[in-house]
């Protein structure tokens, strides 16, 4: 959020490909109405963003398949 609370901005972009590869059961599909296509979505919950003093050490905590998974922003591990 902007320092004057006037709006939001993107601080982190998280690619969850590694999480999906490690936990493929989080991918769910549902059929699009009136088509033969299926839309995928990921079943997970974001628990917290932990901001460290050094920005490159900050991480994201996710609940994935009833497990807590940490995701480091710097290297995607």
């Amino acid at each position: 959020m902007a320092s004057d609370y006037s709006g939001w901005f993107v601080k982190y972009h998280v690619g969850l490909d590694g999480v999906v590869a490690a936990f493929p059961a989080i991918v769910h599909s549902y059929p699009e109405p009136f088509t033969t296509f299926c839309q995928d979505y990921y079943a997970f919950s974001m628990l917290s963003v932990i901001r460290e003093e050094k920005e490159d050490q900050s991480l994201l905590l996710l609940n994935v398949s009833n497990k807590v998974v940490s995701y480091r922003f710097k290297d995607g591990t």
Side-chain angles (χ1 to χ4, degrees), residues 11-24:
K11 183 154 188 164
Y12 301 108
H13 178 80
V14 178
L16 295 176
D17 295 337
V19 176
V20 172
F23 301 95

Side-chain angles (χ1 to χ4, degrees), residues 5-59:
Y5 304 104
S6 63
W8 293 92
F9 61 91
V10 176
K11 183 154 188 164
Y12 301 108
H13 178 80
V14 178
L16 295 176
D17 295 337
V19 176
V20 172
F23 301 95
I26 70 169
V27 179
H28 296 271
S29 297
Y30 64 92
E32 286 286 328
F34 311 110
T35 71
T36 58
F37 298 105
C38 285
Q39 179 69 37
D40 290 339
Y41 68 94
Y42 302 138
F44 68 90
S45 299
M46 188 174 89
L47 301 174
S48 183
V49 174
I50 300 176
R51 296 181 65 194
E52 296 292 340
E53 189 172 321
K54 291 183 177 181
E55 192 69 26
D56 64 350
Q57 294 177 348
S58 295
L59 57 97

